[in-house]
Amino acid sequence: MNRKAEIHAAYEHLGTHAAHYDGMMTGTSVFGCLALRFLWQFSKEEYASYMAHLLAGVPHDFAESLLEVPVGTGSLTMPLYQTLPRAKITCLDYSGKMLDVARKLAGEMNLSNVVLQQGDVGALPFGDGTFDHVLTVNGLHAFPHKDAALDEMCRVLTPGGIFSGSCYVRGERAVTDIFVRTFCTWRGFFTPPYDTAYSLRSRLAARYESVNLHTIGSFAEFICKKK
């Protein structure tokens, strides 16, 4: 099985256990809180700060076109989209099962301005300069071909547009690095090689006019402007 197939299988399986996944991502379950503290090495204050800044790149009055890839279950971003009724939101994911969960959530929240579709970040089905903002939350560490994914997300972004998001970076917390290197990589959720904060900044700086990047725990959050 090639790596793309492994990733697809891993997230298809995860989509059938969305409640546990969402509980960890949002820190709203006992298991999620324990995982965040002991595996991801986030203190309560650090995770609150991470969540507060996660979507800071999207203006509160955003009314243009946005692509989110991957959307996962939508638990982190759908509440934001509910506050942006004039925006045109496209959400893409490689996993049909994850999309099923996100589609159900979007329906429950009456998000008529959100379109969900299946697709590959390494070959986005959109024209050049289609979107004013591209958002990728916790996706770069999973993508098997990171440069191709970064090139594609930059390609579909309009000149002067914003690319923002977050991802795991190695070298910040030893326990998390071990967990990622073993469990996350073995199960197909994450794919090496993994960037450090420095190498990620370099990748982004090669494609964008400005890069604002900071780390919280083992994750980097970034806001970039296209050249």
Side-chain angles (χ1 to χ4, degrees), residues 128-171:
D128 296 357
T130 301
F131 300 97
D132 301 292
H133 196 118
V134 174
L135 175 67
T136 182
V137 176
N138 301 336
L140 283 173
H141 49 244
F143 300 152
H145 305 294
K146 294 174 175 55
D147 280 323
L150 285 168
D151 286 344
E152 279 291 274
M153 289 187 286
C154 187
R155 177 185 67 78
V156 302
L157 187 61
T158 189
I162 300 298
F163 175 58
S164 69
S166 64
C167 68
Y168 159 76
V169 287
R170 63 181 171 84

Coordinates of all heavy atoms in Angstrom, one line a residue, residues 128-171:
D128 N -6.0 28.7 -11.2 CA -5.0 29.6 -10.6 C -5.8 30.8 -10.0 O -6.7 31.4 -10.7 CB -4.0 30.1 -11.6 CG -3.1 29.0 -12.2 OD1 -3.3 27.9 -11.7 OD2 -2.3 29.3 -13.0
G129 N -5.4 31.3 -8.8 CA -5.9 32.5 -8.3 C -7.4 32.4 -8.0 O -8.1 33.4 -8.0
T130 N -8.0 31.3 -7.6 CA -9.4 31.1 -7.4 C -9.8 31.7 -6.0 O -11.0 32.2 -5.9 CB -9.8 29.6 -7.5 OG1 -9.4 29.1 -8.7 CG2 -11.3 29.4 -7.2
F131 N -9.0 31.6 -5.0 CA -9.4 31.9 -3.7 C -8.6 33.1 -3.1 O -7.4 33.3 -3.4 CB -9.2 30.7 -2.8 CG -10.0 29.5 -3.2 CD1 -9.4 28.5 -4.0 CD2 -11.3 29.4 -2.8 CE1 -10.2 27.4 -4.4 CE2 -12.1 28.3 -3.2 CZ -11.5 27.3 -4.0
D132 N -9.3 33.9 -2.3 CA -8.7 35.0 -1.6 C -7.9 34.6 -0.3 O -7.1 35.3 0.1 CB -9.7 36.1 -1.2 CG -10.5 36.6 -2.5 OD1 -9.8 37.3 -3.3 OD2 -11.7 36.3 -2.6
H133 N -8.3 33.5 0.2 CA -7.7 32.9 1.4 C -7.6 31.4 1.3 O -8.6 30.8 0.9 CB -8.5 33.4 2.7 CG -7.8 33.2 4.0 ND1 -7.5 34.3 4.8 CD2 -7.2 32.1 4.6 CE1 -6.8 33.8 5.8 NE2 -6.7 32.5 5.7
V134 N -6.5 30.8 1.7 CA -6.4 29.4 1.8 C -6.0 29.1 3.3 O -5.1 29.7 3.8 CB -5.3 28.8 0.9 CG1 -5.1 27.3 1.1 CG2 -5.8 29.0 -0.6
L135 N -6.8 28.2 3.9 CA -6.6 27.8 5.3 C -6.3 26.3 5.4 O -7.0 25.5 4.8 CB -7.9 28.1 6.0 CG -7.9 27.7 7.5 CD1 -7.0 28.5 8.3 CD2 -9.4 27.9 8.0
T136 N -5.2 26.0 6.1 CA -4.9 24.6 6.3 C -4.6 24.4 7.8 O -3.6 24.9 8.3 CB -3.7 24.1 5.5 OG1 -3.4 22.7 5.7 CG2 -2.4 24.9 5.7
V137 N -5.5 23.7 8.5 CA -5.4 23.5 9.9 C -4.9 22.0 10.2 O -5.7 21.1 9.8 CB -6.7 23.8 10.6 CG1 -6.7 23.4 12.1 CG2 -7.2 25.2 10.4
N138 N -3.8 21.9 10.7 CA -3.2 20.6 11.1 C -3.2 19.6 9.9 O -3.5 18.4 10.0 CB -4.1 20.0 12.2 CG -4.1 20.8 13.5 OD1 -3.1 21.6 13.7 ND2 -5.1 20.7 14.3
G139 N -2.8 20.1 8.8 CA -2.7 19.3 7.6 C -1.3 19.0 7.0 O -1.1 17.9 6.5
L140 N -0.4 20.0 7.1 CA 0.9 19.9 6.4 C 1.6 18.7 6.9 O 2.4 18.0 6.1 CB 1.7 21.1 6.6 CG 1.3 22.3 5.7 CD1 2.1 23.6 6.2 CD2 1.6 22.0 4.3
H141 N 1.5 18.3 8.2 CA 2.3 17.2 8.7 C 1.8 15.9 8.2 O 2.4 14.8 8.3 CB 2.3 17.2 10.3 CG 1.0 17.4 10.9 ND1 0.6 18.5 11.6 CD2 -0.2 16.6 10.9 CE1 -0.6 18.4 12.1 NE2 -1.1 17.2 11.6
A142 N 0.6 15.8 7.7 CA 0.0 14.6 7.1 C 0.3 14.4 5.7 O 0.4 13.3 5.2 CB -1.5 14.6 7.4
F143 N 0.4 15.5 4.9 CA 0.5 15.4 3.5 C 1.8 14.6 3.1 O 2.9 14.9 3.5 CB 0.6 16.8 2.8 CG -0.6 17.6 3.1 CD1 -0.5 19.0 3.1 CD2 -1.9 17.1 3.3 CE1 -1.6 19.8 3.4 CE2 -3.0 17.8 3.5 CZ -2.9 19.2 3.6
P144 N 1.7 13.6 2.2 CA 2.9 12.8 1.8 C 3.8 13.6 0.9 O 5.0 13.3 0.9 CB 2.2 11.7 1.0 CG 0.9 12.2 0.5 CD 0.5 13.1 1.6
H145 N 3.3 14.6 0.1 CA 4.2 15.4 -0.8 C 4.0 16.8 -0.4 O 3.2 17.6 -1.0 CB 3.8 15.1 -2.2 CG 3.9 13.6 -2.6 ND1 5.0 12.9 -2.6 CD2 2.9 12.8 -3.0 CE1 4.8 11.7 -3.0 NE2 3.5 11.6 -3.2
K146 N 4.8 17.3 0.6 CA 4.6 18.6 1.2 C 4.8 19.7 0.2 O 4.1 20.7 0.2 CB 5.4 18.7 2.4 CG 4.9 17.7 3.5 CD 5.9 17.7 4.7 CE 5.3 16.8 5.8 NZ 5.0 15.4 5.4
D147 N 5.9 19.7 -0.6 CA 6.2 20.8 -1.5 C 5.1 20.9 -2.6 O 4.7 22.0 -2.9 CB 7.6 20.6 -2.1 CG 8.7 21.0 -1.2 OD1 8.5 22.0 -0.5 OD2 9.8 20.4 -1.2
A148 N 4.6 19.7 -3.1 CA 3.5 19.7 -4.0 C 2.3 20.4 -3.4 O 1.6 21.2 -4.1 CB 3.3 18.3 -4.5
A149 N 2.0 20.0 -2.2 CA 0.8 20.6 -1.5 C 1.0 22.1 -1.3 O 0.0 22.8 -1.6 CB 0.6 19.9 -0.2
L150 N 2.1 22.5 -0.9 CA 2.4 23.9 -0.7 C 2.3 24.7 -2.0 O 1.7 25.8 -2.1 CB 3.7 24.2 0.0 CG 3.8 23.8 1.5 CD1 5.2 23.8 1.9 CD2 3.0 24.9 2.3
D151 N 2.8 24.1 -3.1 CA 2.8 24.7 -4.4 C 1.3 24.9 -4.9 O 0.9 25.9 -5.4 CB 3.6 23.9 -5.4 CG 5.1 24.0 -5.2 OD1 5.5 25.0 -4.6 OD2 5.8 23.2 -5.8
E152 N 0.5 23.8 -4.7 CA -0.8 23.9 -5.1 C -1.7 24.9 -4.3 O -2.5 25.6 -4.9 CB -1.5 22.5 -5.0 CG -1.1 21.5 -6.1 CD -1.8 22.0 -7.4 OE1 -3.0 21.6 -7.6 OE2 -1.2 22.7 -8.2
M153 N -1.5 24.9 -3.0 CA -2.2 25.9 -2.2 C -1.9 27.3 -2.6 O -2.7 28.2 -2.6 CB -2.0 25.6 -0.7 CG -2.8 24.3 -0.3 SD -2.7 24.0 1.5 CE -1.0 23.5 1.7
C154 N -0.6 27.5 -2.9 CA -0.2 28.8 -3.3 C -0.7 29.2 -4.7 O -1.1 30.3 -5.0 CB 1.4 28.9 -3.3 SG 2.0 30.5 -3.7
R155 N -0.8 28.2 -5.6 CA -1.2 28.4 -7.0 C -2.7 28.9 -7.0 O -3.0 29.8 -7.8 CB -1.1 27.1 -7.8 CG -1.6 27.2 -9.2 CD -1.6 25.8 -9.9 NE -2.5 24.9 -9.3 CZ -3.8 24.8 -9.6 NH1 -4.4 25.7 -10.3 NH2 -4.6 23.9 -9.0
V156 N -3.5 28.3 -6.2 CA -5.0 28.6 -6.2 C -5.3 29.9 -5.5 O -6.4 30.3 -5.5 CB -5.9 27.5 -5.7 CG1 -5.6 26.2 -6.6 CG2 -5.6 27.2 -4.3
L157 N -4.3 30.5 -4.8 CA -4.5 31.7 -4.0 C -4.3 32.9 -4.9 O -3.3 33.0 -5.7 CB -3.5 31.7 -2.9 CG -3.6 32.8 -1.8 CD1 -4.9 32.8 -1.1 CD2 -2.4 32.7 -0.8
T158 N -5.1 33.9 -4.8 CA -5.0 35.1 -5.7 C -3.8 35.9 -5.2 O -3.4 35.8 -4.1 CB -6.3 35.9 -5.5 OG1 -6.3 37.0 -6.5 CG2 -6.4 36.5 -4.1
P159 N -3.2 36.6 -6.1 CA -2.1 37.5 -5.7 C -2.5 38.5 -4.6 O -3.5 39.1 -4.7 CB -1.7 38.3 -7.0 CG -2.2 37.3 -8.1 CD -3.4 36.7 -7.6
G160 N -1.6 38.5 -3.6 CA -2.0 39.4 -2.4 C -2.9 38.7 -1.4 O -3.2 39.2 -0.4
G161 N -3.3 37.4 -1.7 CA -4.1 36.6 -0.9 C -3.4 36.1 0.4 O -2.1 36.2 0.5
I162 N -4.1 35.6 1.3 CA -3.6 35.1 2.6 C -3.6 33.6 2.7 O -4.6 33.0 2.4 CB -4.3 35.7 3.8 CG1 -4.3 37.3 3.7 CG2 -3.8 35.2 5.1 CD1 -2.8 37.8 3.8
F163 N -2.5 33.0 3.1 CA -2.4 31.6 3.5 C -2.1 31.5 4.9 O -1.2 32.1 5.5 CB -1.2 31.0 2.7 CG -1.0 29.6 3.0 CD1 -1.9 28.6 2.8 CD2 0.3 29.2 3.4 CE1 -1.7 27.3 3.1 CE2 0.6 27.8 3.7 CZ -0.4 26.9 3.5
S164 N -3.0 30.8 5.7 CA -2.8 30.7 7.1 C -3.1 29.3 7.6 O -3.8 28.5 6.9 CB -3.7 31.7 7.8 OG -5.0 31.4 7.8
G165 N -2.7 29.0 8.8 CA -3.0 27.7 9.4 C -2.0 27.3 10.5 O -1.4 28.1 11.1
S166 N -1.9 25.9 10.6 CA -1.1 25.4 11.7 C -0.6 24.0 11.3 O -1.2 23.3 10.4 CB -1.9 25.3 13.0 OG -3.0 24.4 12.8
C167 N 0.5 23.5 11.9 CA 0.9 22.2 11.7 C 1.9 21.8 12.8 O 2.5 22.7 13.5 CB 1.5 22.0 10.4 SG 3.1 22.8 10.1
Y168 N 2.1 20.5 13.0 CA 3.1 20.0 13.9 C 4.5 20.3 13.4 O 4.8 20.3 12.2 CB 3.0 18.5 14.1 CG 4.2 17.8 14.6 CD1 4.6 17.9 15.9 CD2 5.0 17.1 13.7 CE1 5.8 17.2 16.4 CE2 6.2 16.4 14.1 CZ 6.6 16.5 15.5 OH 7.7 15.9 15.9
V169 N 5.4 20.7 14.3 CA 6.8 20.9 13.9 C 7.7 20.1 15.0 O 7.4 20.1 16.2 CB 7.3 22.4 13.9 CG1 6.7 23.0 12.6 CG2 6.9 23.1 15.1
R170 N 8.7 19.5 14.5 CA 9.6 18.7 15.4 C 10.6 19.6 16.1 O 10.9 20.7 15.7 CB 10.3 17.6 14.6 CG 11.2 18.0 13.6 CD 11.9 16.8 12.9 NE 12.6 17.3 11.7 CZ 13.9 17.7 11.7 NH1 14.5 17.7 12.9 NH2 14.5 18.1 10.6
G171 N 11.1 19.1 17.2 CA 12.2 19.7 17.9 C 11.7 20.7 19.0 O 12.6 21.3 19.6

